[in-house]
Amino acid sequence: MSEANKLLSRRSFEEIWNQRNLELVDEFYAVDYRGHITARAEVIQGPAALKQFAVMFQFAFPDIRFNINDQIAEGDRVASRWTVTGSQQGEFLGIAPNGDAITLAGISIQHFGAGKIIESWDNWDALSILQRTTGDIFELLSMGV
């Protein structure tokens, strides 16, 4: 079962995020899916909310690309260490597009049941995105302006 879960996890990163095939969210994620993201106060509840979250990122970073560096599976959970790259081409959290490239690392732990992802915990360097997309502001602040 662990190998099947690892495969589904990899497919979710590759096909949903890298290939932007949001129709697969309904196939890969349970109807009562819950997504916990450390950089986000609210829990993502259900496939529709996950699609909205993905659309926000894909609009701001249309060339977003996840690379799975490591995966470990045990029982009904898969841990993935990943790196994501992209460039800001659309508005993100109220920040105008600036074309800046981002590279950041993260870890996702996915819980599986009945062949679907039922819950996930994602931890990634959100501050890195804000620093890169608001670099001028941080630069001015560091100068005491």
Side-chain angles (χ1 to χ4, degrees), residues 44-109:
I44 294 173
Q45 297 190 25
L50 180 58
K51 288 178 196 176
Q52 289 176 338
F53 182 75
V55 166
M56 176 190 70
F57 260 92
Q58 292 171 354
F59 173 77
F61 303 94
D63 59 345
I64 195 168
R65 178 99 186 135
F66 280 85
N67 181 52
I68 304 296
N69 304 112
D70 290 304
Q71 269 192 326
I72 300 169
E74 186 172 327
D76 58 1
R77 298 182 196 269
V78 174
S80 301
R81 184 179 65 83
W82 45 262
T83 306
V84 67
T85 57
S87 56
Q88 188 190 5
Q89 303 299 319
E91 185 176 310
F92 179 70
L93 300 176
I95 301 165
N98 57 22
D100 285 355
I102 63 156
T103 300
L104 60 97
I107 294 176
S108 296
I109 299 172

